[in-house]
């Protein structure tokens, strides 16, 4: 399974730069009021989309299928990768934020709350995405990405407004730490359910159908 | 000893169905899987590899069940397919760095020897390789982790005749180790004439026969005679018949009976595998 | 050892091998105790199925012309000269049967045949 994770990251290689580029463009150069939330959420989804695209283009499912790995391991690797994407996405977002605050001396509202929102939205997104990915196969899943990305962006934009209204300067949303910590944990639980579902679906599927 | 055992395998597609296929593949031999396009060869192979999920049935490889032990089983299998799907933007060396760690018994030295033998450069980008070269790369990977079973899905399609011979030589070489087995599907039957020990003939999702090559040629015969000799009873002897104004050709699986029946009135010859496939398909169409 | 197979012949491949190995042993080309190629090596060299070579060797073992030792391979059996002589006598008989058949077809009687034989036998000694 580790090998699969390593494979995914290795194969992504220079596509990582696209994510960095995206963050720089939307986070630093074209900073908007919505930037911070977008930065917290979208880089991860982008990375995952790149990875998916690569798999789709080389029809590598057959290759993976010939390797000595079990179906559960293949799915598990994808879920483990998403933690990497999310972490990287948040790190990039935080970095862009730092650049904004200290290098360009802009005011930003990046806070722990944004990390919380980033985690939650990403976990929710991936919880939804992967079962669809395994159900429809890579091609169908692409379509789902676009739909979900659109919904995500709309939600995020909406969230940003909400965020600004409730920002209490202390790094947490009012409602206290509970509201900061619970949503990520809750969506993590959802992720676990999603994993089980994905495995069940994938076990019954023909590869590269 | 059987390296592969299949019982009651079934698979349903919109335009194709496989029902209740059972067969054994013996260890230590080369088994050729023949059949016309659409006969189910690739489907069968994919099910053996666990890439396609059977609708029903059981598969055991090395005595272990698929797909429950699929990871342990595939450690010991080298797979070559005419669709070689590698990441196009990687080099051969990079692809190797992705694949090698998966195998417990990866043999780096042997991999490099094969690369060298097939004239493949580690720094070459996979997208720059021709189809034949990708196939050779596939072969390199399949042969570099001490696989006991080689499963090959149309490995010679798309290869130039020179390399095809070389491939068959390589396979024959591998078989000097009697622990190894090879299963090799093809519609180029002349390849099997050179190397196969056993032949499985698949037609419309069913196993027509699974025999040693010798036995096949002892049983089947091509009968050529005058069309006047064809009455209803005689027709029953044949799997498929090709009639012309100047004679008929028929394939029978009862050679001895044919010889007895026709005596000197007919020419009774050894058919090629291609004849067997052709006449079986022809006969099948008539009976639909 | 030389084995040459013909696909065009009516004789099954494994019998062709048996015959040629038998001849080689009887003619002394292969000596007792001499190792034979493994069935797999032979199959590879002749480009035929391992099943065929296996069958050939099994047949040769049945005729006690070769011995197979597990793990070591197959060897020309240390058959006593008498055994080989017996095989050659059998061949001689077959040849004599052929001569007699031909003689009958040409309507040559037994005495004439014997006379002819004596002449040729005498000639050989010279």
């Amino acid at each position: 399974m580790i090998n699969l994770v390593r494979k995914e990251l290795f194969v992504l290689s220079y596509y990582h730069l696209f994510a960095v580029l995206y963050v720089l463009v939307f986070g630093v150069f074209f900073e908007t009021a919505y930037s911070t939330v977008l930065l917290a959420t979208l880089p991860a989804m982008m990375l995952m989309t790149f990875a998916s695209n690569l798999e789709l283009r080389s029809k590598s499912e057959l290759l993976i299928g010939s390797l000595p790995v079990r179906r559960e391991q293949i799915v598990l690797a994808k879920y483990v990768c998403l933690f990497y994407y999310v972490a990287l996405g948040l790190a990039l977002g935080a970095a862009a934020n730092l650049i904004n605050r200290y290098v360009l001396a802009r005011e930003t509202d990046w806070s722990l709350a944004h990390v919380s929102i980033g985690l939650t939205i990403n976990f929710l997104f991936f919880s939804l995405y992967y079962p669809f990915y395994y159900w429809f196969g890579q091609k169908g899943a692409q379509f789902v990405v676009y739909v979900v990305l659109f919904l995500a962006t709309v939600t995020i934009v909406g969230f940003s407004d909400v965020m600004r209204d409730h920002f209490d300067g202390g790094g947490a949303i009012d409602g206290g730490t509970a509201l900061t910590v619970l949503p990520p944990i809750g969506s993590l639980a959802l992720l676990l359910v999603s994993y089980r579902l994905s495995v069940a679906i994938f076990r019954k599927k023909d590869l590269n159908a | 000893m059987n390296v592969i055992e299949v019982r009651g395998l079934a698979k349903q597609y919109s335009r194709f169905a496989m029902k209740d296929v059972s067969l054994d593949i013996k260890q230590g031999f080369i088994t050729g899987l023949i059949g016309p396009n659409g006969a189910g060869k690739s489907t069968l192979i994919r099910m053996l590899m666990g890439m396609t999920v059977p609708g029903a049935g059981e598969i055991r490889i090395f005595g272990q069940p698929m797909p429950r032990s699929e990871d342990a089983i595939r450690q010991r299998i080298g797979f070559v397919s005419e669709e070689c799907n590698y990441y196009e933007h990687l080099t051969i060396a990079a692809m190797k760095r992705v694949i090698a760690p998966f195998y417990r018994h990866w043999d780096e030295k042997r991999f490099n020897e094969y690369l060298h033998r097939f004239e493949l450069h580690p720094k070459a980008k996979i997208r720059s390789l021709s189809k034949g070269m990708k196939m050779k790369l596939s072969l390199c990977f399949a042969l570099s982790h001490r696989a006991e079973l080689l499963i090959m899905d149309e490995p010679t399609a798309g290869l130039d005749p020179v390399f095809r011979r070389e491939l068959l030589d390589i396979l024959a070489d591998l078989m000097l180790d009697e622990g190894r087995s090879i299963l090799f599907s093809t519609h180029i039957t002349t390849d099997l004439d050179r190397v196969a020990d056993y032949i499985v003939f698949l037609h419309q999702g069913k196993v027509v026969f699974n025999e040693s090559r010798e036995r096949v040629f002892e049983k089947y015969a091509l009968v050529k005679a005058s069309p006047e000799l064809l009455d209803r009873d005689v027709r029953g002897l044949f799997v498929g018949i090709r009639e012309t104004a100047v004679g008929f050709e028929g394939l029978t699986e009862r050679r001895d009976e044919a010889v007895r029946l026709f005596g000197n009135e007919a020419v009774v010859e050894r058919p090629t595998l291609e004849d067997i496939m052709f006449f079986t398909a022809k006969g099948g169409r008539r009976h639909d | 050892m030389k084995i040459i197979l013909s696909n065009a012949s009516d004789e099954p491949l494994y019998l062709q091998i048996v015959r040629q190995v038998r001849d080689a042993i009887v003619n002394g080309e292969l000596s007792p105790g001499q190792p034979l190629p493994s069935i797999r090596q032979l199959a590879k060299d002749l480009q035929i199925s391992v099943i065929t070579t296996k069958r050939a060797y099994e047949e040769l073992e049945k005729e006690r012309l070769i011995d197979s030792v597990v793990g070591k391979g197959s060897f020309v059996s240390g058959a006593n000269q008498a055994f080989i002589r017996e095989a050659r006598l059998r061949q001689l008989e077959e040849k004599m049967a052929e001569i007699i058949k031909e003689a009958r077809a040409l309507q040559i009687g037994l005495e004439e045949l014997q006379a002819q034989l004596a002449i040729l036998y005498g000639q050989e000694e010279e």
Side-chain angles (χ1 to χ4, degrees), chain A residues 26 30-38 109 114 157 160-161 164:
Chain A
F26 289 105
F30 294 113
E31 201 225 357
T32 66
Y34 303 110
S35 283
T36 17
V37 181
L38 279 174
D109 57 349
H114 285 92
V157 165
S160 285
D161 291 331
R164 229 151 333 132

Side-chain angles (χ1 to χ4, degrees), chain C residues 25-38:
Chain C
I25 292 178
V26 163
N27 292 334
E29 276 165 43
L30 288 173
S31 17
Q34 188 171 336
L36 292 167
S38 73

Side-chain angles (χ1 to χ4, degrees), chain B residues 79-80 86 111 114 118 133-144 150 152 155 159 163 167 170-171 174:
Chain B
F79 181 66
V80 177
Y86 298 117
F111 180 70
Y114 278 118
F118 299 155
M133 292 199 274
K134 282 195 194 148
M135 168 66 69
K136 293 184 195 180
L137 181 61
S138 209
L139 204 54
C140 288
F141 283 120
L143 298 175
S144 301
L150 262 185
M152 306 169 94
L159 289 180
F163 187 70
L167 173 63
I170 293 172
L171 294 185
L174 289 172

Side-chain angles (χ1 to χ4, degrees), chain B residues 80-96:
Chain B
V80 177
S81 164
E82 57 169 339
E83 288 175 44
C84 319
N85 302 305
Y86 298 117
Y87 294 104
E88 301 277 316
H89 64 289
L90 295 181
T91 63
I92 291 181
M95 198 65 234
K96 186 224 75 172

Side-chain angles (χ1 to χ4, degrees), chain B residues 28-189:
Chain B
F29 297 101
I30 300 186
T31 301
L33 186 58
I34 60 169
N37 286 335
K41 305 191 296 291
S42 285
T43 306
L44 177 61
I45 287 191
R46 295 227 172 140
M47 286 197 275
L48 292 176
M49 287 296 293
M51 293 165 178
T52 294
V53 178
E58 288 175 8
I59 299 176
R60 294 186 89 85
I61 302 184
F62 305 120
Q64 297 180 297
M66 279 290 287
R68 197 172 27 197
S69 310
E70 58 180 337
D71 48 346
I73 291 175
R74 286 203 289 261
Q75 280 286 343
R76 301 154 77 180
I77 297 183
F79 181 66
V80 177
S81 164
E82 57 169 339
E83 288 175 44
C84 319
N85 302 305
Y86 298 117
Y87 294 104
E88 301 277 316
H89 64 289
L90 295 181
T91 63
I92 291 181
M95 198 65 234
K96 186 224 75 172
R97 278 209 294 281
V98 170
I99 292 184
F102 283 94
Y103 291 103
R104 237 172 272 143
H105 299 292
W106 180 259
D107 191 337
E108 182 73 16
K109 185 157 161 273
R110 191 163 290 186
F111 180 70
N112 288 319
E113 279 169 4
Y114 278 118
L115 273 191
H116 185 73
R117 181 171 176 180
F118 299 155
E119 293 171 355
L120 292 171
H121 219 288
K123 296 252 167 73
K125 280 222 163 52
I126 295 188
R127 76 171 130 242
S128 71
L129 300 178
S130 70
K131 184 167 179 202
M133 292 199 274
K134 282 195 194 148
M135 168 66 69
K136 293 184 195 180
L137 181 61
S138 209
L139 204 54
C140 288
F141 283 120
L143 298 175
S144 301
H145 60 269
R146 316 231 187 104
E148 295 158 52
L149 170 62
L150 262 185
I151 295 185
M152 306 169 94
D153 189 2
E154 307 266 359
T156 52
L159 289 180
D160 66 82
V162 174
F163 187 70
R164 260 176 49 204
R165 277 280 192 110
E166 198 189 327
L167 173 63
L168 296 176
D169 256 336
I170 293 172
L171 294 185
D173 229 347
L174 289 172
M175 293 312 291
L176 288 176
D177 175 356
E178 56 188 49
R180 249 192 222 116
S181 317
I182 299 181
L183 175 64
F184 161 2
S185 90
T186 182
H187 59 268
I188 305 176
T189 55

